[in-house]
Amino acid sequence: MKVLLVEDNLGDARLLREALKEQREQEFEIVHVERLADGLSLLNNQQFEVVLLDLSLPDSAGLDTVKRTLDWASDSPIVVLTGAYDESLGMEAVRLGAQDYLIKGQVTGSHVARAVRYATERKKAQVELRKAADELELRVQERTSDLEHALTALQEEFSDRLKAEDSLRKSELRFGQMAQAMPEVLWLASSDMGIIHFGNPSYERI
């Protein structure tokens, strides 16, 4: 598991390295930098399973460190490293989007390894959930678009039908007026002449 360690305190960095090396269940490859800018540069060019991020760095401090990292690599799981007096800061970092926080000097190798593994799994679950939500939203949009097109087609069909019916009514009115006024005989009958469907006044008169 490839881990990016962003920690300017060399002593703390060495302790974390040793703690992870002790773990036999999982092999960790640790890349260590002391500045956030260097860490962000590596995240831009390499793939890391997790980021161990100190909140007190020479070029960044506090929650802004978490925000900048998330803005730069939103899919990278982050485990925040904080001092005992900054535990509330670690909790705030989790609310911002970090996966977990560790209090430096109070964790064992197994704690660090477990936090790293859990952070990775939680982040994967979040990414998959977000992808599923995005796909669902896309399907909803496509379905909505299909329904809108179908509704538009129905409205156009209905409008055409109304126009046709109106045209038919006008045509029937003109025919009736013409039939009533013409002096010639006009009638409509069945093919066997058994039923007279229509006869104009001239037909009736004659």
Side-chain angles (χ1 to χ4, degrees), residues 23-75:
Q23 304 308 304
R24 297 182 179 180
E25 297 178 358
Q26 177 79 54
E27 182 178 352
F28 296 94
E29 177 189 350
I30 302 175
V31 178
H32 174 225
V33 295
E34 298 180 25
R35 301 174 64 87
L36 180 61
D38 297 331
L40 298 181
S41 178
L42 286 174
L43 286 171
N44 193 47
N45 297 296
Q46 299 183 37
Q47 183 68 39
F48 293 91
E49 278 74 19
V50 70
V51 180
L52 293 177
L53 183 65
D54 184 24
L55 294 184
S56 298
L57 298 169
D59 58 341
S60 184
L63 296 176
D64 186 59
T65 306
V66 179
K67 294 177 182 177
R68 290 173 60 187
T69 306
L70 288 172
D71 289 342
W72 195 270
S74 59
D75 289 340

Side-chain angles (χ1 to χ4, degrees), residues 135-197:
E135 290 175 359
L136 178 60
E137 177 65 22
L138 179 60
R139 287 199 295 270
V140 169
Q141 291 177 354
E142 291 174 348
R143 182 59 177 163
T144 301
S145 178
D146 291 342
L147 291 174
E148 288 176 348
H149 288 315
L151 178 60
T152 300
L154 286 173
Q155 290 173 336
E156 291 176 352
E157 181 181 349
F158 182 68
S159 177
D160 291 342
R161 184 172 299 178
L162 288 178
K163 291 178 181 178
E165 291 177 352
D166 183 61
S167 177
L168 179 60
R169 282 194 298 270
K170 291 178 179 178
S171 178
E172 290 175 344
L173 178 61
R174 287 195 298 271
F175 171 78
Q177 291 172 341
M178 178 188 72
Q180 294 290 331
M182 66 189 302
E184 292 83 6
V185 172
L186 176 65
W187 81 94
L188 301 176
S190 60
S191 59
D192 61 357
M193 298 297 290
I195 301 175
I196 303 299
H197 297 293

